[in-house]
Amino acid sequence: MLYLVPFWIAFLVGILVGWAWKPKWAELLTQKLSSVVSKSLELSLPSSSSMSPMFCLKNFGSSSCLNSLNLQPEAWVIDNGEQGKTLSVSPSEYDNSSTSRSVVNEGCSSAITEEDLKHLCQLVEMRDGGPTWMHMMDRSTPNMSYQAWRRDPKTGPPQYRSRTVFENATARIVRDFFWDDEFRPKWDDMLAYSATIEECSTTGTMVVQWIRKFPFFCSDREYIIGRRIWEVDGSYYCVTKGVTCASVPRRNKPRRVDLYYSSWYIRAVESRRGNGQLTACEVLLFHHEDMGIPWEIAKLGVRQGMWGTVKKIEPGLCAYQKERESLASLSQSAYMAQVNTKISMEYLISLESNEDLSRSDVDSTSENPLSQNISRALIYGGLTVLACSLDQGALSKTFIFGMGRKLTDRGNRPS
């Protein structure tokens, strides 16, 4: 206890200093200013004083200045392979949590295959051969119950499994709810931007681009996600995972997340109120991703913010149900959720007939993160503070960098 308080102070100070050390606006301001000055000298401008380079420098950042120079901020350009038809996504749209649509390409049907369906089925039936799931959380509200588990594979980031039951909801509406990118920003404040890159009107396969905002300790991340739905006897296997897309160039910022998997199994279940009716909806979620940060820090962040994020889903679903009741038209992404592949249970069983994997167990005991997560978080925070003292010559750079390398290696190993 004597060392706990100083370590926590060091951790918090380190986070604040790290966040304030190099703010994004300073770097963006430098880039924009140099771009305006260099390009303004090359452009032929009218003689009007309002269009002069000096006017732009004095009024830097205004819409009139950018328009007069015919310059646009950096954009994410999506090329769909058709001449003269591209989607340019400006940072202003990104900041406003907007949803944009491109001229779609029908050639994405192979982004998600039956191998992905088979893998999701194995996860649902807990026959994927993975390690034991450790119980993390069991929470509920009057209209929602939530349970979560985590496991640490030998290689790769931590994996999460959750079971959510929504009262008074159908499987179809929950399916559309999670697929509807146009409505998602109303309940998911981490989604800053979304765009459809490709879609297949035959299978319902989509390739979408997401930009997600994270807390101050982690910069924004870009995702290129392929997704597809299979329907089996009124239940839905919804696969979403990271895919490659040559038409969307990789950029330095936001950083792209290549390893991403987030898939659901949605079905109608009996209400916990005991009325014997299938008026509730169960969602089994399997999720993992590699955001490029130490896995121990990622696990601590997920554990602390999990329930705060999950409890926003239930009121969001209620709002979505009301909106669907009042509106006759569907958004394009919700419409694509209804363009799915219908298969029989016999066919689904045949996909798995050649597999002989061991069963994954669920541990009934909860994990105890107090002895590992807190101590490691304190070490990371203390290291940040120590690194901040380099400019003052207080410590050896060799010592700090050596400690950082050891902690990074430790964070990338499963506990």
Side-chain angles (χ1 to χ4, degrees), residues 315-331:
L317 178 59
C318 292
Y320 188 71
Q321 289 174 306
K322 293 179 181 178
E323 182 170 302
R324 286 286 296 269
E325 292 173 356
S326 60
L327 296 178
S329 61
L330 292 174
S331 67

Side-chain angles (χ1 to χ4, degrees), residues 94-113:
Y94 164 27
D95 293 338
N96 292 331
S97 302
S98 65
T99 301
S100 179
R101 284 194 48 76
S102 67
V103 180
V104 298
N105 188 337
E106 292 289 338
C108 68
S109 58
S110 62
I112 306 294
T113 67

Side-chain angles (χ1 to χ4, degrees), residues 71-114:
L71 298 177
Q72 295 295 333
E74 290 186 357
W76 296 279
V77 178
I78 299 173
D79 183 2
N80 61 9
E82 299 182 27
Q83 184 176 3
K85 294 182 179 180
T86 59
L87 171 67
S88 181
V89 182
S90 68
S92 61
E93 293 176 299
Y94 164 27
D95 293 338
N96 292 331
S97 302
S98 65
T99 301
S100 179
R101 284 194 48 76
S102 67
V103 180
V104 298
N105 188 337
E106 292 289 338
C108 68
S109 58
S110 62
I112 306 294
T113 67
E114 288 186 346

Side-chain angles (χ1 to χ4, degrees), residues 24-40 56-57 60-63 65-66 69 71-75 90-92 95:
K24 295 181 179 179
W25 61 264
E27 183 177 354
L28 292 175
L29 181 61
T30 303
Q31 293 176 353
K32 290 182 179 180
L33 184 59
S34 61
S35 175
V36 169
V37 172
S38 61
K39 291 187 178 182
S40 63
C56 289
L57 291 177
F60 176 74
S62 66
S63 59
C65 171
L66 293 177
L69 290 177
L71 298 177
Q72 295 295 333
E74 290 186 357
S90 68
S92 61
D95 293 338

